[in-house]
């Protein structure tokens, strides 16, 4: 009962800066949506418009089917967790958590019950009398989450809630949010610039750049079916390798990708989709994930520049012509010499090669012009 | 060993200097207190650094004198200074918060305008002010001393700087989401956070108002409306040969006591306030 629906949402600051362009997004009830993207891409602005903290310059926002443009934050039945916690410094943890319920004139006993229950879940029951100043970063973040939880909001908004924590605590809190999620059982919108958080928490990820949504999809879709170069480069660690100056060739009725003069015959699915799209031969950029490269075979060559042993695998930074190629190679069963300075051959299975149009940067297979025109780009769906 | 000696010497010089300076500052207060314990006859004889025994006598004389209603003056001063301190800090904080937390057109213009008033001396506007309050029927009342303190650019600026250093806007937004109305947010969230700044400014405003001579002198006529500085000033007309000097010293002593009490009461905040904005979390 708390779907969130953004229809052509737009934000123009001071009649000048357009921070968010026409965002269309349908969030299902109890879905966990993560907004991700580089700094300044408009994630926070989008979230703040949903919260009602920022005026909506254009478009319509619905929460639970009700039009929310111009409605005050307190009447939207939302809760928000801020990056810097935003706990009231002069109130005890208990009063911080009880504040919203006090505002709603909930009876005292009921408030007390709810606060203690949530404090128990979040493991902060022993700090209820303390002031926020006397808590560690992780504890403060729990209080901030608790303050949002006591309200049982329709929508739970979080703006980079973990970015003030150190790496270890962040991992721990991330796991706790995953656990909490099943207990809170409501719709989430979560902003982060950390792709690990996005991949592990999200049902669907919305990836933004310069105020535009670039792709909406499940973590797997974003990883396997990126619609353009930006999405392909943003998702995945280490970053996908891009090979410039490649060609898509059509020889007879077979498509080939040519990378530095080496021909790769595309696999059956790629053949079929390209054919159904009526794809013409063109200049392309090929993308291969570091994990998808095999060394010791194939006709592409590179010189190893740096070789990092990461326990069970090598992270190899190699130079191949003008491109730096990063490869993640399992140490087990590795027959090739990958020490620094050595020449290696490498290749990748053709179905793992992503093909991007050189001019537009769009994925030849997964880019879907229809949904992109609606400003809600998803990967293309094929009937086969 | 070698660098201990010069530092010792320096410390001695520093202490001596400071003692002399403190002595110069405090000596007059001391003499004032001593003289308030001496009778007129003793005072005529000359200077003495030792207290005498006429304290209560002088005090009674001050309390019972109908022509110089000192206690009434103190009450008036307390009312005026107390009200000034309260409304000046509250409304300055409110104004500063409004300019700090809200985005609106002409925000910068409003800020510049307030800062402009800061450089305008009271004396320039005095004639107009006097006419205004006369027309409004507030001549010879305490209102003209209290109401104008609502608008105090200097206090406003102090509050504004303090907000910048210590109130993250996310707090206000969190309160908004929690369902707190704008005024409620100001009173329940913002004011408590501003407590140190308010305490400092309350003291300064109180003292400033307590010592204010110019405006009360313009506005007040009747003896029973007068504030302490005006009353003391009327003593200047007294004949020093015949007037009871012990009583005058007593009056002045009584006049400064409330200020000292206020200071002692709030000194914790003053010290905190002097370092305001210096330390960030
Ligand atoms: N109050 C404002 N006035 C004018 N421009 C603003 C304002 N707030 C944000 N912007 C601009 O809007 C754009 C989007 O900002 P936003 O805060 O949404 O980015 P973000 O994606 O959350 O980035 P980050 O990861 O750094 O938090 C930025 O270019 C920013 O400069
Ligand atoms: Mg942000």
């Amino acid at each position: 009962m708390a779907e969130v629906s953004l229809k052509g949402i737009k934000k123009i600051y001071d009649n000048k800066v357009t921070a968010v362009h026409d965002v269309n997004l349908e969030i299902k009830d109890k879905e966990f949506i993560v907004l991700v993207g580089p700094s300044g891409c408009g994630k926070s602005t989008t979230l703040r418009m949903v919260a009602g903290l920022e005026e909506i310059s254009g478009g319509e926002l619905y929460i639970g089917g009700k039009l929310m443009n111009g409605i005050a934050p307190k009447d939207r039945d939302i809760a928000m967790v801020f990056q810097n916690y935003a706990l009231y410094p002069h109130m005890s943890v208990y009063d911080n958590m009880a504040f919203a319920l006090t505002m709603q004139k909930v009876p005292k006993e009921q408030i007390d019950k709810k606060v203690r229950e949530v404090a128990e879940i979040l493991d902060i029951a022993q700090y209820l009398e303390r002031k926020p100043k006397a808590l560690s970063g992780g504890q403060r973040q729990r209080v901030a989450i608790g303050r949002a939880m006591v309200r049982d909001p329709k929508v739970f908004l979080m703006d980079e809630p973990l970015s003030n924590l150190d790496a270890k605590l962040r991992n721990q809190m991330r796991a706790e949010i995953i656990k909490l999620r099943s207990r809170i059982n409501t719709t989430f919108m979560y902003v982060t610039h950390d792709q690990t958080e996005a991949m592990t928490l999200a049902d669907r990820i919305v990836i933004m750049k310069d105020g535009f949504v670039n792709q909406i999809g499940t973590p797997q879709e974003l990883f396997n079916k990126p619609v353009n170069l930006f999405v392909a480069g943003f998702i995945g660690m280490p970053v996908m390798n891009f090979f410039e100056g490649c060609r898509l060739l059509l020889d007879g009725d077979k498509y080939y990708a040519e990378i530095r003069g080496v021909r790769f015959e595309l696999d059956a699915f790629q053949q079929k989709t390209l054919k159904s799209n009526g794809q013409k031969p063109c200049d392309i950029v090929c993308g291969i994930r570091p994990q998808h490269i095999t060394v010791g075979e194939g006709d592409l060559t590179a010189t190893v520049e740096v070789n990092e042993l990461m326990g069970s695998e090598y992270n190899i930074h190699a130079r191949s012509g003008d491109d730096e190629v990063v490869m993640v190679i399992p140490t087990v069963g590795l027959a090739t010499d990958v020490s620094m300075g050595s020449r290696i051959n490498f290749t990748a299975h053709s179905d793992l090669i992503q093909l991007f149009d050189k001019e537009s940067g769009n994925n030849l297979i997964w880019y879907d012009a229809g949904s992109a025109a609606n400003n809600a780009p998803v990967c293309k769906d094929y009937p086969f | 060993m070698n660098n201990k000696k010069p530092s010792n010497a320096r410390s001695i010089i520093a202490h001596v200097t400071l003692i002399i300076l403190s002595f110069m500052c405090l000596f007059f207060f001391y003499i004032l207190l001593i003289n308030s314990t001496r009778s007129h006859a003793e005072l005529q004889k000359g200077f003495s650094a030792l207290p005498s025994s006429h304290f209560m006598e002088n005090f009674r004389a001050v309390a019972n004198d109908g022509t110089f209603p000192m206690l009434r003056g103190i009450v008036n001063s307390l009312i005026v200074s107390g009200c000034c301190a309260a409304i000046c800090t509250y409304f300055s904080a409110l104004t500063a918060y409004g300019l700090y937390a809200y985005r609106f057109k002409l925000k910068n213009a409003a800020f510049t305008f307030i800062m402009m008033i800061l450089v305008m001396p009271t004396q320039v506007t005095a004639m107009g002010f006097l006419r205004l309050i006369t027309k409004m029927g507030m001549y010879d009342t305490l209102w003209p001393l209290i109401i104008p303190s609502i608008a105090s650019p200097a206090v406003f600026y102090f509050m504004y700087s303090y907000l910048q250093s210590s109130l993250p806007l996310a707090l206000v937004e969190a309160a908004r989401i929690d369902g707190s109305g704008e005024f409620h947010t100001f009173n329940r969230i913002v004011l408590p956070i501003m407590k140190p700044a308010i305490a400092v400014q309350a003291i300064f405003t109180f003292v400033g108002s307590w010592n204010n001579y110019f405006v009360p002198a313009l506005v007040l006529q009747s003896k029973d409306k007068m504030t302490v500085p005006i009353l003391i000033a009327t003593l200047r007309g007294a004949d020093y040969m015949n007037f009871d000097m012990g009583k005058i010293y007593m009056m002045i002593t009584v006049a400064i006591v409330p200020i000292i009490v206020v200071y002692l009461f709030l000194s914790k905040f003053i010290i905190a306030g002097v370092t305001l904005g210096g330390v960030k979390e």
Side-chain angles (χ1 to χ4, degrees), chain A residues 173-363:
Chain A
M173 282 302 287
R174 200 177 63 218
E176 281 193 40
I177 290 179
I178 296 175
K179 267 192 268 166
L180 270 182
R181 207 203 133 178
S182 54
R183 303 190 69 141
I184 301 179
N185 208 11
T186 183
T187 312
F188 278 83
M189 272 182 95
Y190 184 106
V191 165
T192 178
H193 56 246
D194 179 305
Q195 56 159 307
T196 319
E197 276 171 42
M199 296 296 272
T200 50
L201 292 170
D203 291 331
R204 281 193 300 158
I205 295 176
V206 177
I207 177 161
M208 295 181 72
K209 183 197 176 196
D210 299 336
F212 288 97
V213 173
N214 271 242
Q215 186 169 357
I216 304 171
T218 62
Q220 273 314 305
E221 276 174 355
L222 260 60
F223 190 79
N224 294 328
K225 306 172 180 178
V227 297
N228 61 24
L229 280 172
F230 173 73
V231 176
F234 193 84
I235 299 287
M237 282 286 267
V239 175
M240 183 185 268
N241 298 299
F242 294 113
F243 296 87
E244 302 282 343
C246 303
R247 286 283 298 166
L248 181 74
L249 304 173
L250 184 56
D251 192 355
D253 61 351
K254 282 227 183 310
Y255 285 99
Y256 297 87
E258 192 186 69
I259 306 176
R260 327 192 152 285
V262 181
R263 271 194 185 195
F264 289 80
E265 184 180 332
L266 298 179
D267 87 326
F269 180 77
Q270 288 165 317
Q271 299 288 354
K272 227 167 157 182
T273 49
L274 290 172
K275 210 164 287 173
S276 77
N277 292 347
Q279 185 61 50
K280 305 242 159 39
C282 59
D283 286 336
I284 56 170
V285 176
C286 288
I288 307 175
R289 294 211 181 273
Q291 295 86 347
H292 294 158
I293 290 179
T294 9
V295 300
E297 46 189 282
D299 299 323
L300 292 168
T301 55
T303 313
V304 176
E305 286 185 332
V306 180
N307 177 344
E308 303 162 321
L309 177 58
M310 313 287 283
S312 61
E313 68 217 5
Y314 285 112
N315 274 8
I316 297 170
H317 297 250
R319 182 146 294 280
S320 170
D322 294 336
D323 300 311
E324 186 182 288
V325 184
V326 180
M327 317 170 181
V328 177
I329 309 292
T331 49
V332 184
L334 183 65
T336 321
D337 176 19
V338 292
S339 56
M340 288 183 208
S342 55
R343 293 276 305 152
I344 51 172
N345 287 11
F346 69 96
T347 187
H349 201 281
S350 62
D351 65 345
L352 297 172
I353 300 176
Q354 302 283 356
L355 312 166
F356 300 96
D357 184 65
K358 184 172 192 311
E359 224 146 274
S360 64
N362 292 331
N363 195 318

Side-chain angles (χ1 to χ4, degrees), chain A residues 362-373:
Chain A
N362 292 331
N363 195 318
L364 293 182
I365 292 174
W366 299 116
Y367 178 73
D368 176 41
S371 62

Side-chain angles (χ1 to χ4, degrees), chain B residues 256-268:
Chain B
I256 62 171
V257 163
I259 293 280
I260 292 171
V261 171
V262 167
Y263 178 81
L264 291 178
F265 192 59
L266 295 173
S267 63
K268 192 179 84 189

